[in-house]
Amino acid sequence: MKAMVLHSTGNIDSRPLKYEDIPIPEISDGEVLIKVHACGVCRSQLHTIEGEWGAPMRLPLVVGHEIAGEVVKTGRRVSNLKIGDRVGLQPTYNTCNSCEYCLTGRENLCDRIERTGGHVDGGYAEYVKGVEQHTYLIPGNLSYQKAAPLFCPGATAYRAVCMAEPAPYKTMAVFGVGGVGHMAVQFARLHGARTVAVDRSKKKLELAERFGAVPVEYGDTEKLARLGIDDSIVFAPSDEVIAMARNATKKGGRIVIGVEGNVLDFDFRKEQRIMGCLVGTRNDVNNVLKLASEGRIGAEVAEYRLEEANEVLAKMKKGELVGRAVLVP
Ligand SMILES: [Zn+2]
Ligand SMILES: [Zn+2]
């Protein structure tokens, strides 16, 4: 099969992903083989490829963890999925089912978690394997391209917004309205919160405005103060943005951070609550799929060919992507 393979980490401009033929993954008991129809391009892959998060778990590696496709083969002891099913995978590839996190519905924090595109090869390829218990049926009215981003940005945004506890009488700010942020804006609006979108890019702010957000240009702290931000969500990977969000948020507010960054000069006097948000749980993913199939939220997607992955990631790095890019093999 064709895949975009990472052999060694390097700057994305040096095109570190190579378009190659590699063997189709072999499935074990409880696993299914999926023909990939779309795979979202996530910023976390940029960090892995450029070695920013340390050495990848293994090399060569196929990254990609928001995947939509079709079951083409089932392993033994697969009972609920069959050939032809339209399915998706999220960043969590497998969990232990027995640690305190798994037993309390927080399997995204599992002590023995395995990650798609980390422990096992991911979706920048024609085929990928999935574990039945972490493979999701895609509702019939959602295309593969629209469904793929629901598994990472969709579920992560959903989780972050729930953590920030929006309400119709509150104002919530989303800092960074890229792939995840543009979905967070939609979930905040669903909860009835007045939603404020903060970004550098005019195009991204226009998109957020279409989803009902009040646009604020990056750095316009006066406007943020006027709006009165109860709670904030940060999806822009920058210490500066985290600081801006904390300064803009009222005393007693919540700041949910879903990206790498440092919280500097913490002021206990404000009684703010700072929370991290990793990826969605199974429950989050299922809720997001349901909301999307009802037409209440949706990912804004742009399609690219699989072999364009390097260029797409380079665009993402420069902040030039609006919504979510998906690779189609
Ligand atoms: Zn992702
Ligand atoms: Zn576990």
Side-chain angles (χ1 to χ4, degrees), residues 9 21 138 164 233 266 292:
T9 56
D21 275 305
I138 295 172
I233 299 178
F266 182 72

Side-chain angles (χ1 to χ4, degrees), residues 94-103 106-113:
N94 202 7
T95 52
C96 77
N97 287 330
S98 58
C99 72
E100 65 174 292
Y101 302 106
C102 284
L103 294 175
R106 296 175 295 163
E107 71 282 343
N108 60 330
L109 302 176
C110 173
D111 286 332
R112 276 159 284 175
I113 196 165

Side-chain angles (χ1 to χ4, degrees), residues 188-263:
R189 291 293 299 140
L190 270 191
H191 284 274
R194 179 163 72 156
T195 306
V196 175
V198 187
D199 206 286
R200 291 176 201 275
S201 152
K202 272 221 154 61
K203 277 188 185 160
K204 291 181 186 178
L205 287 180
E206 276 167 25
L207 178 65
E209 214 175 346
R210 265 210 278 134
F211 290 127
V214 180
V216 174
E217 272 185 51
Y218 181 82
D220 192 347
T221 49
E222 270 174 41
K223 187 166 178 186
L224 286 173
R226 259 199 323 274
L227 288 163
I229 308 300
D230 292 290
D231 306 285
S232 294
I233 299 178
V234 182
F235 283 122
S238 137
D239 295 356
E240 197 183 310
V241 177
I242 291 172
M244 191 192 299
R246 281 177 47 216
N247 288 330
T249 305
K250 289 182 188 171
K251 287 181 276 188
R254 292 163 183 252
I255 298 115
V256 180
I257 303 173
V259 281
E260 198 83 21
N262 296 297
V263 176

Side-chain angles (χ1 to χ4, degrees), residues 258-276:
V259 281
E260 198 83 21
N262 296 297
V263 176
L264 306 166
D265 305 320
F266 182 72
D267 183 359
F268 76 94
R269 293 170 191 85
K270 288 187 175 174
E271 290 198 353
Q272 289 176 329
R273 268 180 276 186
I274 296 178
M275 289 175 277

Side-chain angles (χ1 to χ4, degrees), residues 19-192:
Y19 191 58
E20 288 174 0
D21 275 305
I22 59 168
I24 290 175
E26 294 206 7
I27 55 170
S28 311
D29 292 359
E31 291 182 331
V32 294
L33 184 67
I34 299 162
K35 183 174 180 1
V36 178
H37 285 273
C39 181
V41 177
C42 185
R43 182 171 278 274
S44 63
Q45 278 121 42
L46 191 60
H47 296 305
T48 302
I49 291 164
E50 297 200 319
E52 263 189 291
W53 287 353
M57 280 170 178
R58 50 198 191 83
L59 288 170
L61 172 69
V62 179
V63 296
H65 63 201
E66 34 193 270
I67 304 163
E70 177 191 351
V71 175
V72 291
K73 196 174 172 186
T74 55
R76 284 190 304 169
R77 291 207 283 278
V78 168
S79 43
N80 295 314
L81 293 175
K82 56 182 191 310
I83 291 170
D85 279 347
R86 301 168 76 249
V87 296
L89 298 180
Q90 64 133 321
T92 301
Y93 182 78
N94 202 7
T95 52
C96 77
N97 287 330
S98 58
C99 72
E100 65 174 292
Y101 302 106
C102 284
L103 294 175
T104 51
R106 296 175 295 163
E107 71 282 343
N108 60 330
L109 302 176
C110 173
D111 286 332
R112 276 159 284 175
I113 196 165
E114 291 183 304
R115 297 186 196 287
T116 318
H119 296 81
V120 295
D121 279 344
Y124 287 17
E126 287 184 291
Y127 294 90
V128 71
K129 60 178 184 169
V131 172
E132 183 177 31
Q133 63 156 340
H134 287 283
T135 301
Y136 303 82
L137 283 171
I138 295 172
N141 61 344
L142 291 178
S143 69
Y144 290 118
Q145 291 87 334
K146 284 275 189 190
L150 301 176
F151 293 98
C152 177
T156 307
Y158 177 85
R159 185 168 187 77
V161 170
C162 292
M163 280 179 161
E165 297 194 355
Y169 55 87
K170 288 166 98 184
T171 298
M172 175 175 289
V174 178
F175 290 79
V177 281
V180 196
H182 88 285
M183 304 222 60
V185 165
Q186 298 177 60
F187 291 120
R189 291 293 299 140
L190 270 191
H191 284 274

